[in-house]
Every structure is written in structure tokens, then in C-alpha cells.
Amino acid sequence: MSGILEGKRILITGVLMESSIAFHTARLAQEQGAEIILTAFPRPSLTERIARKLPKPVKVLELDVSSEEQLAGIADQVREHLPTLDGIVHSIGFAPQDALGGNFLDTPWESVATAMQVSAFSLKSLTMALLPLMQDGGSVVGLTFDAQYAWPQYDWMGPAKAALESTNRYLARYLGSRDIRCNLISAGPIGSMAAKSIPGFGDLADTWNHRSPLKWDLSDPEPAGRGVVALLSDWFPKTTGEIVHVDGGLHAIGA
């Protein structure tokens, strides 16, 4: 049987560690028949090293989503390797240390602005930069961490994820006429590089040990990766503006 992404061409951001959701998305995408290309920042060499563990060789391009110059040139760089794109995976998030770890009330605007630009606005800027390669429609999938709640230690990444979720809905509104679907996976906590940058992450993640209906494994990013691949496929042809929870069901539990 052919895979559910057979013949698809996908750009994936955020492959930093083998433990990341983005890495498992890339692996699963290749296994399901897709051609992929990766972008990385600030250390493409790190991503190139991790990418060697994928089933097939893959090109890694440097891309700082806060750089207008790099965004302006990314479509041409991708076109040198893939003539078109059918999908984009946005797995990008960053907040300065003074925007995390219980410092919410004292975080300066400069740090908040950085978190918003890199973690939320970049979904729009990345999608628009690559739009010329998606003339036949396609799927944009991002990763969020449920922004309905104020999580301990997560601080300004919470409002940044809320902005990401709203941005996804507006992209779905404006790109639907181009047959481009825009959705998010809301994943439970994973012991990735991004997680390790959050002070007190262990306390946050411990919530899943007590409230998740399905047993949650911090060391297993594959369920979230499968969710991303499913949304990239043609199996959700009329789903857009959606947030699909892959969190063991915790989002549905009050106490």
C-alpha cells in the first residue's frame, strides 16, 4: 500500500532534536511517501546532524522567521530542490528567559514582542513566504500548547500560543479560497529542547500524571507527529481552522 502522503512535498521547520515532534513528523512523512525539506535556525548544522537519522537524505535550509530578508528568499531556495509544496509544518516557538518561569508580571515588552513574533506571527509570515509554491492548494499545520489555560511557569508563551491559535483561524479564513487548509495540533508536554528551556517544566508536565484519561508519555512524540501527518494528508479535505488535541484527553477533564 502507498502511504497517505504519497507524492506530497512538505516543508518542515523545527527539527532540533530526535526527541522533537518535528523530527518524528519528518520521519513519518517520509515513511508515508512524502518528499520533505527542512529549515533550521540558529544552527542548521545541528539539524543536518539530526536529519541523518531520518529514513532518507534531506536538504536543510537556514531560515530565521524573524528576518524579512530570509523570508523573502526562502521560496526561491526551496524551489531549487522542490518545485512546489503541498504542505508546511510550523514547529517554531521561542520566548526569552525573562518571559518564562513565573516572571509574567515583570516581563518587559521587548521580550513579549519577541515571543509573539517568533511563536505566533511567524505562522503567517512563513505561510505567506511559501505561498507561491502552493498554487494547487495544500495544508499548513502548526503546533500549539493548549492556550485555554494559564499554565504554571509557561507565562508569556501562553498568550503567544493564544495568538498562534487565533492566527491559525484567520489564515484559514483568508486562504480557504486558495484551497489551503490551516490547522493546529495541540500536543501534550514532550521532553524536547523547547520544554527544557521552560523553568519548572517538570511541575507543569506532572499534571498529566494525575488528570490525563489516557496514559501520557513525555518521551514519546510520535502520537503528535501522527496527528500532524494526518492533517497534512488528504484524509481531512474539509477541515480548516481547527485545533486537534493530541494530549491524552486532558483538555476535556475539569478536575
Side-chain angles (χ1 to χ4, degrees):
M1 292 179 62
S2 60
I4 63 172
L5 295 185
E6 194 69 37
K8 302 288 188 187
R9 299 177 175 125
I10 311 292
L11 180 139
I12 301 173
T13 67
V15 175
L16 295 176
M17 298 175 65
E18 195 172 355
S19 61
S20 69
I21 295 172
F23 174 85
H24 285 265
T25 298
R27 176 181 60 79
L28 290 164
Q30 286 189 332
E31 291 175 355
Q32 291 299 316
E35 292 181 79
I36 68 170
I37 192 166
L38 306 180
T39 69
F41 186 81
R43 293 173 58 194
S45 59
L46 174 61
T47 297
E48 288 170 350
R49 187 161 63 248
I50 297 300
R52 295 190 191 109
K53 300 181 181 181
L54 291 171
K56 299 177 183 177
V58 60
K59 181 66 178 178
V60 178
L61 302 176
E62 181 176 357
L63 177 63
D64 176 1
V65 291
S66 66
S67 167
E68 292 186 12
E69 181 180 358
Q70 290 195 21
L71 285 166
I74 190 61
D76 287 338
Q77 290 187 60
V78 172
R79 201 178 279 115
E80 293 177 9
H81 307 280
L82 297 177
T84 60
L85 285 176
D86 302 290
I88 300 167
V89 177
H90 179 280
S91 181
I92 300 170
F94 172 76
Q97 281 297 300
D98 62 355
L100 300 164
N103 200 47
F104 185 89
L105 298 179
D106 297 315
T107 304
W109 165 246
E110 291 77 14
S111 296
V112 174
T114 296
M116 291 290 179
Q117 180 180 17
V118 177
S119 306
F121 183 75
S122 64
L123 179 63
K124 192 280 292 190
S125 55
L126 176 68
T127 301
M128 294 307 295
L130 295 169
L131 198 61
L133 301 175
M134 301 182 74
Q135 295 300 313
D136 296 322
S139 176
V140 178
V141 184
L143 289 162
T144 188
F145 188 72
D146 203 329
Q148 297 179 85
Y149 307 107
W151 297 102
Q153 312 299 323
Y154 205 52
D155 290 355
W156 281 100
M157 277 302 293
K161 290 297 187 182
L164 175 75
E165 294 176 8
S166 184
T167 299
N168 174 67
R169 289 188 286 270
Y170 277 93
L171 282 174
R173 179 185 184 96
Y174 285 108
L175 295 181
S177 61
R178 299 174 186 242
D179 198 27
I180 294 175
R181 296 169 285 121
C182 303
N183 297 288
L184 299 176
I185 290 291
S186 181
I190 296 295
S192 63
M193 181 177 290
K196 291 175 181 178
S197 69
I198 301 171
F201 173 78
D203 295 335
L204 186 161
D206 189 53
T207 304
W208 268 255
N209 293 328
H210 308 290
R211 288 180 51 206
S212 177
L214 297 175
K215 184 178 179 180
W216 187 255
D217 185 350
L218 280 172
S219 65
D220 185 11
E222 184 165 324
R226 288 190 178 206
V228 174
V229 167
L231 288 173
L232 289 169
S233 78
D234 294 331
W235 285 94
F236 287 84
K238 298 300 178 185
T239 298
T240 195
E242 185 61 271
I243 301 174
V244 177
H245 289 82
V246 183
D247 67 347
L250 186 138
H251 71 282
I253 303 303

